[in-house]
């Protein structure tokens, strides 16, 4: 039986009280169903292990039904504050240059189920995150071809999917879109991608063309991309004002600003809530990432954050996650509260407590998992 939005919200307080992530139904391909239509699927903890996430295990975040776009007739319009508006086929784009980058995408709402008090929105556990090999052309090369005019401010990426939002009511159906500053649009890590993990994008992941904005939360990586519009003033569309915005304390008072870069975060993927581990010789492992920065340090705790020990990890690099591991551990029999935390190469460590100014986004505070050592 399909779960309604209300069912999902109702399930939260009990799940949080139990320290568990509600799993609900699991789709045939092993993803956890957070909403059936539009499809919203979460990667299971164990599948966050590999260096790149297989496409079939990669989380899916859709706001509207998936639009059907034919790659043969597909075109991308590049317009707005440019000298030469363009209409480009997939073939045109593929001839403009190709780069393949390993980039970690994390949904800005990843971890929302852990917010106290419970927050509205999809109740993601830790699994709205994944790393893929994205192949495409640098958005900067496309913008150069179109000749961005002086005074350009934002580059708005517009998807082909649309719908009407009820609360707050929109003026009819609106597309999913996202403006990013010109400098980020021109950065090497911002791609217009047609391949994910070496194969054409699947429908759920944005076929035939999507943006991948490396180092930023997933909302900027617009799928089913059909328009790129350069603006001469900051864009204030729905998806960066009402949604996907956080409070910033400014001199004149708090103001809402768009969510941008992924914050440092480490998760334990080797054990989930309620797991039983051997008191002598168990190993914790997981993944850590830090958006535009490299992971510089990963630590883990067995006592809910009272004491920390250093973890071994791969050399960090911007844009992608690293694997970390504790080495063999011995703990007294009983309940352990395990967690990991990450520090990036700018010295920013993920915080212990939740900052409510972040509304329901950018969730990287400490979330211990209860496991039993026997
Ligand atoms: N692009 C369009 N057109 N429509 C969407 O609903 N969701 C965004 C982004 N791009 C979305 C979109 C969000 S919030 C995230 S986290 C990522 O896509 C998820 O990408 P994925 O589904 O490939 O994992």
């Amino acid at each position: 039986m399909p779960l309604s939005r209300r069912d999902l919200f109702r399930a939260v307080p009990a799940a949080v009280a139990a320290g568990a992530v509600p799993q609900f139904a699991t789709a045939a391909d092993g993803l956890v169903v957070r909403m059936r239509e539009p499809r919203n699927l979460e990667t299971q903890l164990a599948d966050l292990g590999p260096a790149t996430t297989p496409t079939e295990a990669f989380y899916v975040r859709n706001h509207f039904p998936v639009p059907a776009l034919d790659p043969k007739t597909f075109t991308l319009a590049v317009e707005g504050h440019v000298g030469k508006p363009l209409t480009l086929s997939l073939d045109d784009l593929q001839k403009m240059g190709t780069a393949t980058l390993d980039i970690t995408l994390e949904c800005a709402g990843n971890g929302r189920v852990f917010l106290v008090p419970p927050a509205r929105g999809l109740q993601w556990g830790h699994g709205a995150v994944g790393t893929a090999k994205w192949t495409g052309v640098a958005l900067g090369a496309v913008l150069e071809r179109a000749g961005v005019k002086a005074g350009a401010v934002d580059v708005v990426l517009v998807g082909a999917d649309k719908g009407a939002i009820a609360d707050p009511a929109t003026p009819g159906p609106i597309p999913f879109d996202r403006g990013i500053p010109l400098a980020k649009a021109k950065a090497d890590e911002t791609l217009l991608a047609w391949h994910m993990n070496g194969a054409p994008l699947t429908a759920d992941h944005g076929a035939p063309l999507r943006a991948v904005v490396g180092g930023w939360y997933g909302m900027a990586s617009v799928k089913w991309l059909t328009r790129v519009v350069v603006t001469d003033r900051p864009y204030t569309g729905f998806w960066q004002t009402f949604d996907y915005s956080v409070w910033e304390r400014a001199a004149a008072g708090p103001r809402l600003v768009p969510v941008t870069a992924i914050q440092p975060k480490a998760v334990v993927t080797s054990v989930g809530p309620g797991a039983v581990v051997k008191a002598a010789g168990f190993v914790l492992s997981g993944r850590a990432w830090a958006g535009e920065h490299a992971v510089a340090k990963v630590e883990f705790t067995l006592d809910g954050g009272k004491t920390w020990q250093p973890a071994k990890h791969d050399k960090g690099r911007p844009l992608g996650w690293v694997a970390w591991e504790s080495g063999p551990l011995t703990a007294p029999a009983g309940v352990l509260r395990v967690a990991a935390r990450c520090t990036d190469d700018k010295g920013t460590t993920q915080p212990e407590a939740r900052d409510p100014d972040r509304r329901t986004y950018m969730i990287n505070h400490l979330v211990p998992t209860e496991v039993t050592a026997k």
Side-chain angles (χ1 to χ4, degrees), residues 141-358:
V142 177
L143 292 172
E144 204 175 305
R145 176 86 55 102
V148 172
K149 288 188 190 164
V153 175
D154 280 347
V155 177
V156 186
L157 308 165
V158 187
D161 53 332
K162 52 165 96 99
I165 310 280
D167 182 18
T170 50
I174 58 164
F176 186 88
D177 65 19
R178 222 340 163 116
I180 59 174
L182 183 62
K184 187 68 183 176
K186 285 180 164 175
D188 291 346
E189 68 271 17
T190 300
L191 297 179
L192 304 188
W194 47 80
H195 272 187
M196 177 180 186
N197 294 330
L201 290 171
T202 60
D204 267 335
H205 293 294
L209 188 75
R210 74 174 300 167
V212 178
V213 181
W216 280 31
Y217 283 105
M219 76 278 128
S221 293
V222 173
K223 303 191 279 189
W224 313 292
L225 185 73
T226 50
R227 290 175 74 209
V228 170
V229 187
V230 180
T231 65
D232 61 357
R233 65 199 65 188
Y235 186 60
T236 52
F238 179 90
W239 307 103
Q240 55 207 78
T241 51
F242 286 108
D243 265 17
Y244 298 110
S245 62
V246 289
W247 291 110
E248 182 183 82
R249 311 264 174 153
R255 59 174 188 157
L256 287 169
V257 296
V259 170
T260 58
I262 293 176
Q263 298 301 299
K265 185 160 165 179
V267 290
V268 179
T269 59
S270 54
V271 289
V276 176
V277 297
K278 278 193 193 145
F282 71 100
V283 175
L284 292 181
S285 62
R287 292 264 153 204
W289 59 94
E292 292 175 329
H293 300 294
V295 170
K297 185 165 73 175
V298 181
E299 299 158 288
F300 64 90
T301 178
L302 304 179
D303 54 19
K306 287 196 204 101
T307 58
W308 292 93
Q309 303 176 54
K312 290 177 253 172
H313 62 86
D314 303 337
K315 187 172 159 38
R317 63 172 185 89
L319 312 180
W321 64 15
V322 299
W324 65 265
E325 209 207 80
S326 64
L329 298 167
T330 299
V335 173
L336 306 175
R337 300 184 70 230
V338 306
R341 74 177 178 194
C342 167
T343 301
D344 70 18
D345 61 1
K346 293 271 173 225
T348 307
T349 300
Q350 61 183 103
E352 222 155 275
R354 175 70 188 157
D355 175 358
D357 286 358
R358 293 181 176 185

Side-chain angles (χ1 to χ4, degrees), residues 14-38:
V16 170
V21 182
Q23 293 291 301
F24 303 119
T26 304
D29 47 12
L31 287 151
V32 179
V33 179
R34 293 285 172 228
M35 187 179 280
R36 286 189 200 280
E37 190 52 47

